[in-house]
Amino acid sequence: MLDQLITIYFLVFSAALFGRVNRFSGFLAIPERFPDPMNNLNLPAIELCIRAIAKVSLDNEKYFCDLDGEMGDADFGKTLADGFRAILAQLDGSIDRSSIGAFLIKIGTTFAGSAGGTSGPVWGTAFLRAGTNSKGKQAVTLAEIVVMARAAIQGMMARGNATQGDKTLLDAVIPAVDKLDEFSKSTPEDLVGAFRAAAAAAEAAIEFTRSWPAKRGRQSYAGDRTIGTLDPGIVAVAMMMKAIVAALETNDGA
């Protein structure tokens, strides 16, 4: 019995010293070490971010549905949660982790095949485009993340037939990526700082777009009556960006 306790203590101590326990997974794991200092994202860090945004989706399923129900069809929260539940099942299974690209492409196909409505193809395409632009990579710099994100935005625009200013999630995603782009050119080594600024930009979009009329999706049918309401996609992106920052700060020791 004493030998078993000593073994367990050694394993937990090793996890604390040489890696970090993934607090978004349902089991104790010793992942690969994250970049130190964190000036790029490797696959374990990206997986941690995916788990973080999935948690936001599942924890806020009803809230996102309630927001959507003000002028839409009240299914955004459920659709989003369906997609991320399927992703979490893949993460806890045998998802392809041979490279960041392969990983994100599988995330995209899983989401698109599991989430209904417009969200399935829009969010699925975003992950697919990001994966296509990171094929074979084991880590990505801030500049490479911007390239992946710009490709994801183009995919979302094409799938959703939307653009910036239509009061959709793009009005949170685009300003956030613009901030990442700024940091990639000025202080590319400050990856966590870049994501903090991006999260702040996404959060600012919540109130900034409140006075706009919705121009896409079921909400657009209500026309000017959508003025004064919050877009659930914008709120979701802002909350997910904050969750990503929290995850990165924890693993950067910030």
Side-chain angles (χ1 to χ4, degrees):
M1 181 65 180
L2 180 60
D3 289 343
Q4 291 176 333
L5 289 173
I6 292 172
T7 300
I8 292 171
Y9 176 81
F10 176 78
L11 288 173
V12 173
F13 177 77
S14 298
L17 184 61
F18 298 111
R20 292 180 175 92
V21 174
N22 186 338
R23 61 194 177 100
F24 294 103
S25 66
F27 54 91
L28 183 66
I30 305 175
E32 296 178 40
R33 188 172 176 83
F34 295 115
D36 189 12
M38 188 175 282
N39 53 18
N40 62 69
L41 291 183
N42 60 12
L43 185 50
I46 288 176
E47 180 170 344
L48 182 65
C49 292
I50 295 294
R51 288 184 181 273
I53 65 176
K55 187 174 188 298
V56 170
S57 172
L58 271 58
D59 288 351
N60 294 278
E61 180 176 353
K62 183 180 183 302
Y63 174 53
F64 293 155
C65 281
D66 290 344
L67 284 178
D68 193 32
E70 290 188 27
M71 291 292 169
D73 47 15
D75 69 344
F76 176 73
K78 181 182 183 304
T79 300
L80 204 63
D82 286 345
F84 280 109
R85 282 193 193 95
I87 286 172
L88 286 175
Q90 287 285 331
L91 294 181
D92 294 335
S94 56
I95 190 170
D96 188 348
R97 291 181 173 86
S98 60
S99 71
I100 291 172
F103 178 77
L104 290 177
I105 287 171
K106 184 59 178 178
I107 293 288
T109 56
T110 298
F111 196 102
S114 305
T118 304
S119 294
V122 168
W123 288 68
T125 297
F127 287 121
L128 284 167
R129 292 290 183 91
T132 300
N133 282 269
S134 55
K135 282 185 175 180
K137 295 183 182 296
Q138 300 302 318
V140 286
T141 64
L142 189 52
E144 290 169 330
I145 292 168
V146 171
V147 171
M148 293 161 62
R150 295 288 190 208
I153 288 169
Q154 291 302 314
M156 287 188 286
M157 284 181 169
R159 279 290 187 179
N161 191 29
T163 189
Q164 191 171 13
D166 285 345
K167 197 174 182 178
T168 71
L169 79 166
L170 289 169
D171 293 300
V173 174
I174 293 174
V177 175
D178 286 344
K179 282 296 179 183
L180 295 180
D181 197 7
E182 288 177 19
F183 272 74
S184 75
K185 295 169 181 173
S186 60
T187 51
E189 72 284 354
D190 188 9
L191 189 142
V192 176
F195 272 90
R196 287 193 195 106
E203 186 170 16
I206 296 175
E207 290 299 329
F208 185 71
T209 60
R210 184 192 282 271
S211 61
W212 299 1
K215 297 180 182 179
R216 290 292 180 271
R218 186 65 61 88
Q219 290 186 338
S220 66
Y221 299 165
D224 287 347
R225 289 191 294 123
T226 59
I227 294 175
T229 64
L230 297 180
D231 179 79
I234 293 173
V235 174
V237 168
M239 292 176 68
M240 288 174 177
M241 288 297 299
K242 287 179 69 174
I244 288 173
V245 170
L248 294 179
E249 286 177 341
T250 297
N251 289 284
D252 189 44

